[in-house]
Amino acid sequence: MARWLQQCPHCGYAAPDIGRAHPAAAETVAAAPFRALIADTSHPPLARRFLAWAYVLEETGALHAAAEATLHAAWVADDMNRQDLATAWRRDAVALWRAGPALDAEQTVRVIDALRRTEDWPDAAATAEALAASAPEEAVAQVVALERRLIGERDAGRHTLASALPPPARRPHVAHQKIRRSRSEGLWSRLRRMFRKD
């Protein structure tokens, strides 16, 4: 994540590529709220970089992209065990998603997950129920089913997307295979087998 954004060491502007700044960036980074944001040492430096980018995006009307950047700041807070910041930034991300244009199914799943992680059970459950009722495509429906189960269990923890999706149907998933090794098979034999070309 530390490589996802660049940040100007002089003005604090952050973006995936600071060499191609948004036309409104200069005015945005000169504003007092932006200056206060990047000076706030109570927030982790990497999170401030994502929040700085989110601020620029929000000010230029890219609310969904601002929500994503804010969610990334929450992920940084998760990694630093700052639940207070992670919760606040997930709530901010949800507000940005909902303030923008109509959400697609995948964005709505991100909203549901953010609500669940902040333990906003009623809103998370209602949003998940509405998405499930819209008959989304199968992969989205599987993730929503997982989210609904986690909401019902009051589970606000981290879960991977892989835990919602079954392994590929056409061939066995690696997790379903047992590794069988002969006890007599030596180290060199195993290494040759691992690096052979089929």
Side-chain angles (χ1 to χ4, degrees), residues 54-143:
Y55 185 86
V56 171
L57 291 166
E58 182 180 3
E59 289 298 302
T60 57
L63 299 181
H64 290 175
E68 289 289 336
T70 305
L71 181 63
H72 295 162
W75 293 352
V76 173
D78 287 335
D79 291 344
M80 301 191 77
N81 294 317
R82 291 293 307 271
Q83 191 58 45
D84 56 331
L85 295 177
T87 296
W89 293 335
R90 279 190 171 88
R91 287 181 179 147
D92 291 345
V94 168
L96 287 164
W97 269 310
R98 287 178 166 170
L103 298 171
D104 63 26
E106 290 181 20
Q107 291 168 322
T108 304
V109 166
R110 293 171 88 71
V111 168
I112 295 165
D113 189 68
L115 291 167
R116 178 184 62 79
R117 295 294 306 275
T118 63
E119 301 183 14
D120 189 342
W121 309 118
D123 196 355
T127 307
E129 185 177 343
L131 182 55
S134 72
E137 63 180 71
E138 184 180 355
V140 172
Q142 290 170 341
V143 176

Side-chain angles (χ1 to χ4, degrees), residues 182-195:
S182 166
R183 291 186 181 194
S184 62
E185 184 182 30
L187 173 64
W188 291 114
S189 297
R190 289 197 306 268
L191 287 173
R192 276 196 301 275
R193 186 168 44 79
M194 286 169 51
F195 292 104

Side-chain angles (χ1 to χ4, degrees), residues 137-195:
E137 63 180 71
E138 184 180 355
V140 172
Q142 290 170 341
V143 176
V144 173
L146 171 66
E147 290 287 352
R148 292 178 81 182
R149 180 175 61 77
L150 296 173
I151 292 163
E153 295 170 358
R154 298 296 191 258
D155 181 341
R158 293 182 189 192
H159 293 274
T160 64
L161 182 63
S163 61
L165 303 176
R170 282 181 282 177
R171 55 182 183 194
H173 190 268
V174 68
H176 292 168
Q177 299 174 6
K178 291 184 179 177
I179 299 173
R180 293 191 178 100
R181 290 192 185 116
S182 166
R183 291 186 181 194
S184 62
E185 184 182 30
L187 173 64
W188 291 114
S189 297
R190 289 197 306 268
L191 287 173
R192 276 196 301 275
R193 186 168 44 79
M194 286 169 51
F195 292 104

Side-chain angles (χ1 to χ4, degrees), residues 34-46:
F34 183 88
R35 307 306 311 156
L37 170 68
I38 62 170
D40 188 348
T41 57
S42 68
H43 297 163
L46 181 56

